[in-house]
């Protein structure tokens, strides 16, 4: 079996998983931002930004590829850079108090 086969089922499963990642990531980002607004602690604001970047990164590659016609490799690179940046911001927000 070729690793490039999979068809419609895999494409639909990927779309469902990416959509769920967007929804769950958005909810986490919302709660972190809500906590920041309530407490005005800078670390919580940075945590919200970090989760927002990670969430955006997780869904970006497919959107760039499907909607804007960007090559899949470039989309994955941009996705990875956003996720990395988000993780760095999250780590920094947890490190500083």
């Amino acid at each position: 079996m070729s690793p490039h086969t999979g068809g419609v089922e895999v494409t639909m499963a990927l779309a469902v998983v990416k959509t769920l990642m967007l929804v769950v990531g958005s909810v986490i980002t919302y709660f972190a931002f809500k906590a920041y607004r309530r407490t005005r602690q800078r670390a919580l604001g940075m945590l919200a930004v970090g989760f927002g970047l990670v969430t955006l990164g997780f869904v970006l590659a497919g959107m760039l590829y499907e909607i804007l016609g960007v090559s899949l490799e470039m989309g994955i690179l941009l996705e990875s850079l956003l996720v990395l940046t988000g993780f760095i911001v999250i780590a920094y927000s947890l490190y500083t108090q």
Side-chain angles (χ1 to χ4, degrees), residues 2 6-7 9-10 23 40 65 67-68 70 72 82-83:
S2 171
E9 295 85 11
V10 173
V23 169
R40 293 293 182 202
Y65 176 71
I67 297 172
L68 299 177
V70 173
L72 188 58
L82 274 174
V83 171

Side-chain angles (χ1 to χ4, degrees), residues 46 83-93:
M46 293 183 65
V83 171
L84 175 63
T85 303
F87 282 150
I88 290 170
V89 172
I90 289 170
Y92 183 76
S93 75

